[in-house]
Amino acid sequence: MTEPTPKAQSVTKDGDPVSFTPPTLYYPEIAPGGATRLVVSAPLGTLQKVHKALIHAFQPPLQVLYRQVVNRRDPKPQGEPSRDFVGLGLEADEVVEALDKADVLFHQDARAELWIRDEANARLVLDCDGLLFVYPDDVAAREAIASVGVPLDRKPTIANCDYVKHNFLADADVLEDGFIEGLHLSEMAPQKRTETKY
């Protein structure tokens, strides 16, 4: 059986795989714009656990933004607007259940970002590299991260690798459709693509 691959992998300039496993850690930093946030890095398995722990730490109702950065079935030139799908008034359990059903889409395929916002305006972002960003840096978020054994530390993550290969899996297409339909997400009007700020 083939080992599951993460969303993004470190490679050489020529695209050959590099022996790199995302470290298991989190650390605080100042985000673009001056907000405080936590950055979480973890390999497959641990990443899913911390992702779900953070969702359960959020105050419902939740808002979900599924941002399709790359349309694998109908590729567009780089810089084209993303496709944004939004859902409101969701409970943590239904979001986690939908994530479980679409696990390969979110944790092994790099086509999209997933943004979650709660009643208190806390935000959680899973990016295309497989890193989690949590706003703000607060006690509840740190406790949720620590509850699944992720330590406070600072080492190079996938974001520090010189060359990264992103995986786009045909098997995730049906999972993408199921996630959007299952949470009744509505597509928003396209917006001009700008640098993602999170």
Side-chain angles (χ1 to χ4, degrees):
M1 189 173 182
T2 306
E3 278 292 309
T5 55
K7 296 162 74 82
Q9 296 170 282
S10 180
V11 295
T12 66
K13 185 177 181 180
D14 297 322
D16 298 319
V18 170
S19 180
F20 175 83
T21 299
T24 302
L25 55 81
Y26 79 96
Y27 58 84
E29 70 173 15
I30 303 299
T36 61
R37 69 180 179 186
L38 297 173
V39 181
V40 184
S41 167
L44 283 175
T46 303
L47 180 65
Q48 288 96 316
K49 289 176 185 175
V50 69
H51 197 187
K52 290 189 275 190
L54 283 162
I55 293 170
H56 279 300
F58 275 25
Q59 299 177 34
L62 305 181
Q63 300 176 25
V64 168
L65 166 63
Y66 178 81
R67 172 161 287 165
Q68 184 196 71
V69 179
V70 174
N71 187 338
R72 197 203 68 81
R73 290 173 277 192
D74 185 19
K76 299 289 193 298
Q78 190 169 7
E80 285 293 301
S82 61
R83 294 181 68 196
D84 289 350
F85 299 83
V86 175
L88 307 174
L90 300 168
E91 295 295 325
D93 284 343
E94 63 182 319
V95 174
V96 167
E97 182 180 355
L99 277 176
D100 282 340
K101 290 178 181 176
D103 182 69
V104 169
L105 169 67
F106 288 105
H107 301 111
Q108 296 181 52
D109 186 283
R111 73 184 68 193
E113 301 167 350
L114 183 66
W115 296 59
I116 297 172
R117 185 189 302 266
D118 79 354
E119 183 73 2
N121 205 34
R123 287 174 290 154
L124 172 62
V125 182
L126 174 66
D127 80 352
C128 295
D129 287 335
L131 290 171
L132 289 168
F133 298 88
V134 193
Y135 302 77
D137 172 4
D138 65 13
V139 173
R142 288 185 179 233
E143 287 178 347
I145 295 166
S147 73
V148 292
V150 176
L152 178 64
D153 198 357
R154 186 134 194 183
K155 295 176 184 174
T157 69
I158 191 71
N160 303 115
C161 295
D162 291 330
Y163 301 98
V164 175
K165 172 189 172 186
H166 291 95
N167 294 311
F168 302 99
L169 309 175
D171 290 349
D173 293 349
V174 67
L175 299 177
E176 181 177 51
D177 295 339
F179 181 80
I180 292 168
E181 293 167 8
L183 288 182
H184 307 290
L185 305 185
S186 300
E187 186 166 5
M188 307 300 289
Q191 297 183 12
K192 185 177 179 181
R193 183 72 173 151
T194 58
E195 187 67 24
T196 301
K197 294 181 180 179
Y198 50 76

